[in-house]
Amino acid sequence: QVSLVESGGGSVQAGGSLRLSCTASGAIYCMAWFRQTPEKEREGVAFIDSDGDYSYGDSVKGRFTVSRDKNTVSLQMNSLKPEDTAMYYCAATPGNRNTWCALEKYGAWGRGTQVTVSS
């Protein structure tokens, strides 16, 4: 199983931007970003496979951009809102080309990085 190391995150005012990155220790097909707060269930933010196909959660479409370079996935977060405040986790799973990465179960997780957006 791959290990994942995240970087980025921090605090920003509403309307600002942050960038997260995550590097996997080996090749893996699906990589993703999830987020979670104590008050909400874990939410899928962005998914991308090694072919470059991607998808987003509805709440971040048009504001967040996911990209990937081999085993590193990045999440550019623009126009941040206070409701984007959460712990963000990188995740990965072997997946396959017959299933969307957004529908896969993820078994490898990073330790998480905090994103805080103040109003």
Side-chain angles (χ1 to χ4, degrees), residues 30-101:
C30 291
M31 296 186 75
W33 289 98
F34 290 82
R35 66 186 182 186
Q36 189 166 21
T37 68
E39 298 78 23
K40 296 182 181 179
E41 292 185 356
R42 187 172 61 199
E43 175 188 11
V45 175
F47 304 85
I48 189 166
D49 63 33
S50 56
D51 296 326
D53 292 325
Y54 56 86
S55 60
Y56 298 99
D58 288 341
S59 61
V60 306
K61 286 179 181 177
R63 300 187 297 121
F64 290 12
T65 302
V66 65
S67 60
R68 181 168 175 173
D69 181 10
K70 296 183 180 178
N71 298 336
T72 296
V73 61
S74 298
L75 186 68
Q76 178 66 40
M77 305 183 292
N78 298 329
S79 302
L80 282 162
K81 304 175 181 180
E83 50 264 44
D84 294 318
T85 295
M87 185 72 79
Y88 283 70
Y89 296 91
C90 178
T93 190
N96 63 80
R97 289 181 170 82
N98 297 318
T99 305
W100 290 107
C101 287

